[in-house]
Amino acid sequence: METPRKFIPTGEELGKLQRDLRFHPSTVENPQRLTAQQVAGFNRDGYVRRMRIFDTVEIAEIGRYFDGLLERTLAAGGNSYSISTAHLTYGRVWDLLTEPRIVACVRDLIGENAIGWGSHFFCKLPGDGRRVAWHQDASYWPLTPSKVVTVWLAIDDADVENACMRFIPGSHRYGHLTYALREDDESNVLSQVVEGAEGLGEPVDVELKAGEISIHSDLLLHGSEANASRRRRCGLTLRYCPADVRAELGWNAKGVVVSGADASGHWANPGRPSQG
């Protein structure tokens, strides 16, 4: 089965890289879209949540677009987790990555010069028996320093019943944590598990209405349970970092300048794909 594991480097590849995996707090002093309290909360807790981006009409249109994309993906032999780095293929996803209302929130956390480099649909179908174990995003990526934030856009309403995301507040401040590999565990969407994670704090359920977003640090422990409900739970993850972050293993080819500039020219800054 094709899973997100296909899209990430191996442990051996990552082990050869020198990466700064410490938390770097936001230094933005005059946020424009978020409040100063939200920026302080991000530094303290590792996330902000429940920002409304799209109204009900807009998110319904996005949902219909995803329905068609998922149908084509399944017909081609993929699955509900295999639509990754979608902004390099689909113009509509590139539009979401560069959406000014989303970028405004991101800019208030990582600064003016911002790169959007990731776009991955995590879609738990009704009765999906697969969980996402506690993990840190930074563990999987050939990026340094650790300054990436992930926007999670709710395509569907996400709640406890249909397996919304869960965060462990403040866990990002522990830095990079030891994890166990579970590559043969098909009940886990990803391959890494931070064992004993709940000993680091009380988990928070991140319930979102369709059209709302959360944003979390790449070092925040998070995961989700299996979806045992009769309702789908789809979210689009959009990844952003400051332009001074460096990508190895060719990952700089994914990066689009969504705000300000990339003075070094490190990121490829591809244009909008013509495919819908």
Side-chain angles (χ1 to χ4, degrees):
M1 179 181 292
E2 191 177 62
T3 73
R5 301 178 189 184
K6 174 182 177 181
F7 309 116
I8 57 178
T10 65
E12 181 179 0
E13 289 173 321
L14 291 171
K16 296 177 181 178
L17 305 177
Q18 294 294 318
R19 294 183 293 162
D20 174 0
L21 297 179
R22 299 171 296 167
F23 176 62
H24 296 264
S26 174
T27 58
V28 175
E29 296 182 350
N30 297 297
Q32 301 300 305
R33 172 62 173 81
L34 302 180
T35 66
Q37 291 75 18
Q38 286 175 308
V39 175
F42 174 83
N43 286 339
R44 180 188 66 243
D45 299 327
Y47 66 93
V48 291
R49 58 175 168 167
R50 293 178 180 161
M51 288 82 74
R52 167 65 61 179
I53 301 296
F54 299 109
D55 63 27
T56 54
V57 173
E58 291 173 308
I59 197 61
E61 185 278 325
I62 293 168
R64 288 190 293 271
Y65 169 77
F66 174 73
D67 292 344
L69 182 56
L70 178 61
E71 183 178 2
R72 297 195 301 273
T73 299
L74 295 176
N79 64 37
S80 63
Y81 298 102
S82 60
I83 308 172
S84 186
T85 320
H87 66 284
L88 296 185
T89 303
Y90 305 107
R92 188 70 184 88
V93 182
W94 192 94
D95 294 341
L96 292 171
L97 184 72
T98 60
E99 164 60 48
R101 288 170 288 183
I102 294 176
V103 172
C105 295
V106 169
R107 191 166 51 230
D108 282 350
L109 295 175
I110 67 173
E112 177 67 23
N113 299 320
I115 305 298
W117 62 264
S119 52
H120 190 169
F121 288 95
F122 278 81
C123 180
K124 290 177 179 272
L125 297 175
D128 184 333
R130 307 179 75 196
R131 73 192 190 288
V132 178
W134 293 115
H135 68 283
Q136 295 174 301
D137 292 335
S139 288
Y140 291 99
W141 298 334
L143 306 176
T144 188
S146 182
K147 296 181 180 180
V148 176
V149 298
T150 291
V151 169
W152 204 95
L153 169 63
I155 307 297
D156 306 318
D157 290 348
D159 50 42
V160 172
E161 183 185 56
N162 68 347
C164 63
M165 272 202 304
R166 309 184 79 205
F167 294 156
I168 297 185
S171 55
H172 62 303
R173 290 184 274 113
Y174 290 98
H176 191 223
L177 298 169
T178 300
Y179 60 85
L181 280 176
R182 296 287 186 269
E183 295 179 326
D184 296 328
D185 183 1
E186 286 297 325
S187 67
N188 183 19
V189 175
L190 302 176
S191 60
Q192 297 179 7
V193 180
V194 176
E195 297 176 329
E198 294 186 24
L200 299 177
E202 184 70 26
V204 170
D205 295 310
V206 188
E207 296 190 317
L208 299 172
K209 292 295 186 181
E212 294 181 335
I213 65 171
S214 64
I215 308 177
H216 66 268
S217 161
D218 56 1
L219 286 168
L220 185 73
L221 281 169
H222 62 290
S224 61
E225 300 298 331
N227 181 10
S229 78
R230 295 183 179 181
R231 295 186 294 122
R232 190 183 74 180
R233 192 231 66 180
C234 176
L236 172 61
T237 60
L238 301 167
R239 322 284 192 180
Y240 301 89
C241 65
D244 64 357
V245 169
R246 290 296 171 261
E248 303 292 341
L249 306 179
W251 278 40
N252 61 311
K254 305 178 182 186
V256 177
V257 179
V258 297
S259 176
D262 172 24
S264 69
H266 174 74
W267 297 91
N269 196 28
R272 186 185 190 275
S274 58
Q275 183 175 346

